[in-house]
Amino acid sequence: MEEIQSQSDLYRSSSSSASSPTSRVPSSHFFYVRKPGSLTQPISFEDSPEWEDTDADERMDEEANIGGGGDSINDATATPISPSLSKINSGSMTSPPVPEGGAGNVVRKIAGASIAWKDLTVTMKGKRRYSDKVVKSSNGYALPGTMTVIMGPAKSGKSTLLRALAGRLTLSAKMYGDVFVNGSKSHMPYGSYGYVERKTQLIGSLTVREFLYYSALLQLPGFLCQKRSVVEDAIQAMSLSDYANKLIGGGHCYMKGLRSGERRRVSIARELVMRPHILFIDEPLYHLDSVSTLLMMVTLKKLASMGCTLVFTIYQSSTEVFGLFDRICLLSNGNTLFFGETLACLQHFSNAGFPCPIMQSPSDHFLRAVNTDFDRIIAMCKNWQDDNGDFSAVNMDTAVAIRTLEATYKSSADAASVETMIFKLTEREGSQLKSKGKAGAATRVAVLTWRSLLVMSREWKYYWLRLILYLILTLFIGTLYSGLGHSLSSVATRVAAVFVFVSFASLLGITVIPSLLKEIKIYRSEASNQHSGAFVFILGQFLGSIPFLFLISISSSLVFYFMVGLRDDFGLLMYFVLNFFMCLLVNEGLMLSIACVWRDVYWTTLSLISVHVIMMLAAGHFRIRNALPKPLWTYPFAYISFHTYSIQGLLENEYIGEVFAVGEVRSISGYEAIGGYYQIAADANSKWGNMLVLLAMASGYRLIVYVLLRFGLNKNVSGRLLLCHRKNNSSR
């Protein structure tokens, strides 16, 4: 205790002369708080959207009384006011100015939901057992119409606590304790809550309105006109009206697009189309400047004033932003150092002996006191001096500060008031949140297909440039093998031309890898919130790619077919086009499956080049298939190489039924003429068998993609949701 007291005295002496908690805290020049009584009164805003929720009035009446006949949520929020807060004259401070609603605007409320957590502990699975406690015995709550922020330094457990509250922990994490939603231990159903990741994947080739509209089509059932209205409401709610018709951008194909602040608000608006009761946001201020930060927080405050329950994490904030928070949960190394009103947190630090210095942001002061990384800075500059002497302002042992703050909070009246509030919220079970309907599988497939077509038509770098490269490659191959004629001596050269066309055209498809990886990231983002599924994604991507791949196949095939001078027959030409089209479908499935495994441009490209080289060597051109070594090259390389079936089908299409004269009296069939250069079947229908094999391979690769997406990339989220449902059913 002597060490703790000495450190506290040292830090108190390093503060400004106005260090007395009672004299310095009420200064209105350094931070903002709410006016008295405004905690239970929502703020009106100028551009608040009109949310059309048919059950809003019923839900507000039901949720006003927890359990149907007890204390209302508003009464609960008004009763246990923090004891520390009552010591401060909050009336002398004002909140940042926010726009007031116009007389003609009607603000329709969102039926929020209360969430409380008690003795919540999260452990991560180590090498042998669950050992590392990321969150330790955390208690807290969040109420409708308020913003509850989880603050702390890096690796303090902020995101883990947020995921635990939302029921989105990975399978490597184990949770102890209870989470109550409207007073009951029940899993939040689909559509009742929204979760925004720290890094969200947006589609840069769509406008803001298009992106949100397609998201609404994926999430919501009902008519199109209703979905348009909720999209417009979400755009207004996140102050995106000026950017609604602008491309999101941010990808490789667009030099300009929305700034990080607008992109972040778009990602939040995507979750708002479901009109969730509770919204969880991981780092809403991630990579935002000061102006974008203030605009984001004012927008979120506007959303909270409509009744939505907001819970989000934050690293640090400015003084203006700090004044917008309703409650703060301060974490350090998984320990809860404080939970309560934002202004009471300042009083808590003062009571513990660490008052906030004048001219310093409260959040900066909090993080300075609880971030152990500052100890390394102290060690570096321990013997340094500046114009004012030594660095006494940072000369504080963080470990001692953390222990002091934790011990002070556990014995304070603030912790007792939190327990009282949790008891009131969980004393009676309120109305349970109902699951909102989902869009049907057929609707989702149609939406993803149309969206893929729209994206492909605009992504010139990955699709239209790819088409141009295919045409250039075909022109080079055509000029190289032009003027061969139809004599027996040209058979070997024609075989080489077909091999080069199929092999190099397939290899050129690697240029689309960045686009495929982007689609996988978009799928993971949508699947994590149950907006999409593995089967829906694969089928939509397959149907959306068919028109573009067919355009490539027909344009390239026509150029190659006539420049090389293959047989002049329309039926044979159509088979050539279909064969090459199936080859492209197989190649697309192969690239998608390898991209799902690596999810990295470098390793995916390297793997695909290696696989293509092996398939080209085993395709039967460099050495006839019968002469290939049986282990490895024949089994399995020759049989899994799609080049083999494509080239064999094209050569059978060209030479079966053809007759070549040998001298003046003797002739041989095309099958006999090609026998020494490539192995084909003598049956005229065998080329259709090769076509079926290509179709089966195209389906097989997409089945592999389905397995990887269903049980690989998304196993953590789906497994955790399934576990939550099982716990919910068992509790009932």
Side-chain angles (χ1 to χ4, degrees):
M1 291 300 295
E2 294 180 357
E3 180 187 8
I4 295 176
Q5 183 64 31
S6 63
Q7 291 291 338
S8 300
D9 295 340
L10 176 62
Y11 184 77
R12 185 182 290 108
S13 64
S14 67
S15 302
S16 174
S17 59
S19 59
S20 175
T22 58
S23 62
R24 357 175 358 271
V25 173
S27 175
S28 61
H29 298 285
F30 311 120
F31 50 85
Y32 298 92
V33 294
R34 260 161 232 87
K35 294 181 179 180
S38 62
L39 294 175
T40 57
Q41 295 178 3
I43 304 174
S44 60
F45 290 86
E46 190 174 66
D47 55 346
S48 298
E50 298 181 3
W51 295 78
E52 298 179 1
D53 195 344
T54 56
D55 299 330
D57 297 333
E58 297 178 2
R59 289 186 178 276
M60 291 296 291
D61 293 335
E62 291 176 358
E63 294 175 3
N65 296 313
I66 303 176
D71 298 333
S72 66
I73 293 178
N74 291 334
D75 293 339
T77 59
T79 302
I81 296 297
S82 173
S84 300
L85 189 62
S86 62
K87 302 177 182 179
I88 304 174
N89 182 18
S90 60
S92 61
M93 308 179 200
T94 57
S95 300
V98 291
E100 298 181 355
N105 291 338
V106 179
V107 180
R108 296 185 181 275
K109 299 296 181 181
I110 302 175
S114 66
I115 181 171
W117 59 98
K118 184 177 181 181
D119 296 329
L120 187 62
T121 300
V122 179
T123 59
M124 300 299 294
K125 188 175 183 180
K127 294 182 179 180
R128 296 184 179 179
R129 60 187 177 87
Y130 290 89
S131 56
D132 299 329
K133 291 185 178 180
V134 184
V135 180
K136 306 171 186 176
S137 301
S138 177
N139 296 323
Y141 59 90
L143 301 176
T146 63
M147 294 197 303
T148 303
V149 57
I150 305 174
M151 182 182 292
K155 298 182 180 179
S156 60
K158 305 187 300 296
S159 299
T160 303
L161 177 58
L162 189 72
R163 288 194 296 267
L165 297 178
R168 297 168 65 94
L169 288 173
T170 61
L171 294 179
S172 60
K174 194 170 184 179
M175 186 182 76
Y176 304 90
D178 300 316
V179 177
F180 301 88
V181 180
N182 280 348
S184 61
K185 299 179 184 179
S186 60
H187 174 68
M188 288 177 288
Y190 172 79
S192 63
Y193 77 101
Y195 190 93
V196 183
E197 297 282 354
R198 180 181 306 177
K199 296 181 180 179
T200 54
Q201 186 68 31
L202 306 179
I203 304 177
S205 55
L206 298 179
T207 65
V208 172
R209 181 175 278 109
E210 290 172 342
F211 177 77
L212 296 179
Y213 181 60
Y214 285 119
S215 297
L217 292 175
L218 289 175
Q219 300 178 50
L220 300 171
F223 299 101
L224 299 181
C225 58
Q226 298 176 352
K227 298 176 183 180
R228 289 192 178 96
S229 66
V230 298
V231 167
E232 296 302 322
D233 290 342
I235 290 175
Q236 294 180 22
M238 296 310 298
S239 303
L240 292 169
S241 300
D242 294 337
Y243 309 95
N245 295 321
K246 292 184 179 180
L247 292 176
I248 295 175
H252 299 284
C253 297
Y254 298 93
M255 297 300 293
K256 293 183 179 180
L258 299 181
R259 293 175 296 181
S260 57
E262 287 83 25
R263 292 173 59 85
R264 196 73 176 120
R265 280 184 277 147
V266 170
S267 63
I268 298 175
R270 178 173 62 179
E271 300 304 317
L272 290 183
V273 297
M274 287 294 295
R275 287 178 287 194
H277 306 288
I278 305 175
L279 184 60
F280 301 94
I281 311 175
D282 193 6
E283 295 283 359
L285 309 182
Y286 186 67
H287 284 176
L288 300 187
D289 56 28
S290 58
V291 176
S292 300
T293 295
L294 185 58
L295 178 59
M296 170 67 78
M297 295 313 302
V298 171
T299 303
L300 292 179
K301 186 63 182 177
K302 174 181 63 177
L303 181 63
S305 69
M306 297 164 55
C308 184
T309 305
L310 293 182
V311 183
F312 54 88
T313 62
I314 195 174
Y315 180 75
Q316 65 183 129
S317 65
S318 63
T319 306
E320 293 176 314
V321 171
F322 181 81
L324 294 173
F325 301 151
D326 292 289
R327 294 174 186 85
I328 179 174
C329 178
L330 184 62
L331 299 180
S332 180
N333 297 325
N335 298 303
T336 302
L337 304 185
F338 179 81
F339 183 90
E341 306 289 338
T342 53
L343 187 59
C345 188
L346 285 166
Q347 184 66 39
H348 169 67
F349 270 72
S350 297
N351 295 338
F354 307 103
C356 181
I358 296 178
M359 302 301 295
Q360 184 174 359
S361 170
S363 63
D364 291 340
H365 172 63
F366 298 158
L367 294 178
R368 166 62 193 91
V370 303
N371 194 345
T372 56
D373 292 337
F374 279 102
D375 292 339
R376 292 180 295 179
I377 302 177
I378 296 173
M380 291 172 55
C381 61
K382 182 170 58 176
N383 298 322
W384 294 357
Q385 291 186 349
D386 57 8
D387 296 337
N388 299 321
D390 59 354
F391 284 85
S392 59
V394 295
N395 191 15
M396 175 179 58
D397 191 344
T398 307
V400 175
I402 292 175
R403 292 197 300 268
T404 305
L405 290 168
E406 185 178 6
T408 304
Y409 173 69
K410 288 183 178 179
S411 61
S412 67
D414 295 297
S417 66
V418 172
E419 294 180 358
T420 302
M421 187 62 179
I422 294 176
F423 175 76
K424 288 190 175 184
L425 291 174
T426 59
E427 185 178 9
R428 300 182 183 90
E429 292 188 0
S431 59
Q432 292 189 356
L433 303 182
K434 298 179 181 180
S435 176
K436 298 182 180 180
K438 296 182 180 180
T443 301
R444 292 185 174 186
V445 170
V447 171
L448 290 178
T449 301
W450 185 254
R451 190 178 71 178
S452 298
L453 290 173
L454 183 59
V455 170
M456 289 180 184
S457 65
R458 295 178 180 177
E459 293 276 359
W460 61 267
K461 190 174 182 179
Y462 295 134
Y463 295 99
W464 297 111
L465 184 59
R466 181 185 175 192
L467 174 61
I468 296 174
L469 291 177
Y470 268 97
L471 291 176
I472 293 175
L473 175 65
T474 308
L475 286 172
F476 278 114
I477 297 176
T479 54
L480 180 63
Y481 291 99
S482 62
L484 295 180
H486 294 275
S487 62
L488 184 61
S489 60
S490 65
V491 173
T493 309
R494 287 174 180 271
V495 172
V498 173
F499 171 81
V500 169
F501 174 72
V502 173
S503 300
F504 283 86
S506 301
L507 189 61
L508 190 60
I510 296 179
T511 56
V512 80
I513 287 177
S515 178
L516 294 179
L517 291 173
K518 187 188 300 183
E519 291 184 10
I520 294 174
K521 291 180 181 179
I522 294 172
Y523 159 75
R524 295 185 66 201
S525 177
E526 294 177 340
S528 63
N529 289 334
Q530 305 180 55
H531 300 168
S532 180
F535 176 76
V536 171
F537 165 74
I538 293 172
L539 187 57
Q541 193 273 342
F542 172 74
L543 296 176
S545 64
I546 285 179
F548 187 78
L549 293 180
F550 188 77
L551 179 61
I552 292 179
S553 64
I554 194 171
S555 58
S556 302
S557 298
L558 289 175
V559 174
F560 176 83
Y561 199 91
F562 290 106
M563 290 192 70
V564 175
L566 300 181
R567 293 171 62 182
D568 189 9
D569 185 279
F570 181 76
L572 301 181
L573 173 61
M574 287 297 100
Y575 177 85
F576 191 99
V577 173
L578 291 177
N579 183 288
F580 185 56
F581 172 69
M582 295 303 304
C583 181
L584 293 178
L585 283 180
V586 175
N587 190 39
E588 196 89 356
L590 174 63
M591 292 189 295
L592 191 59
S593 60
I594 295 181
C596 288
V597 173
W598 291 112
R599 287 175 284 165
D600 179 77
V601 175
Y602 174 78
W603 290 108
T604 302
T605 304
L606 184 63
S607 301
L608 278 172
I609 292 176
S610 303
V611 170
H612 273 277
V613 169
I614 294 175
M615 288 184 174
M616 289 164 61
L617 293 175
H621 172 67
F622 299 103
R623 192 173 182 182
I624 297 179
R625 290 177 61 185
N626 290 336
L628 288 173
K630 297 300 180 184
L632 194 62
W633 287 105
T634 302
Y635 308 103
F637 289 159
Y639 283 92
I640 64 175
S641 173
F642 68 91
H643 301 68
T644 302
Y645 305 100
S646 179
I647 296 172
Q648 183 175 337
L650 293 177
L651 293 178
E652 290 171 351
N653 182 63
E654 178 68 18
Y655 287 103
I656 296 299
E658 184 73 76
V659 177
F660 294 94
V662 181
E664 297 182 357
V665 295
R666 183 172 174 265
S667 62
I668 60 175
S669 63
Y671 172 75
E672 295 173 331
I674 202 175
Y677 304 104
Y678 203 90
Q679 180 182 344
I680 63 174
D683 187 6
N685 295 323
S686 61
K687 64 180 183 181
W688 297 107
N690 291 316
M691 184 83 76
L692 292 177
V693 172
L694 290 175
L695 179 60
M697 295 181 73
S699 303
Y701 279 125
R702 280 163 176 81
L703 180 61
I704 295 175
V705 174
Y706 173 79
V707 173
L708 292 174
L709 293 178
R710 181 65 179 82
F711 303 102
L713 298 181
N714 207 32
K715 66 179 180 181
N716 289 334
V717 175
S718 60
R720 177 57 60 184
L721 291 176
L722 179 61
L723 183 60
C724 290
H725 281 299
R726 289 177 178 175
K727 289 183 179 179
N728 187 21
N729 294 333
S730 63
S731 63
R732 292 179 182 178

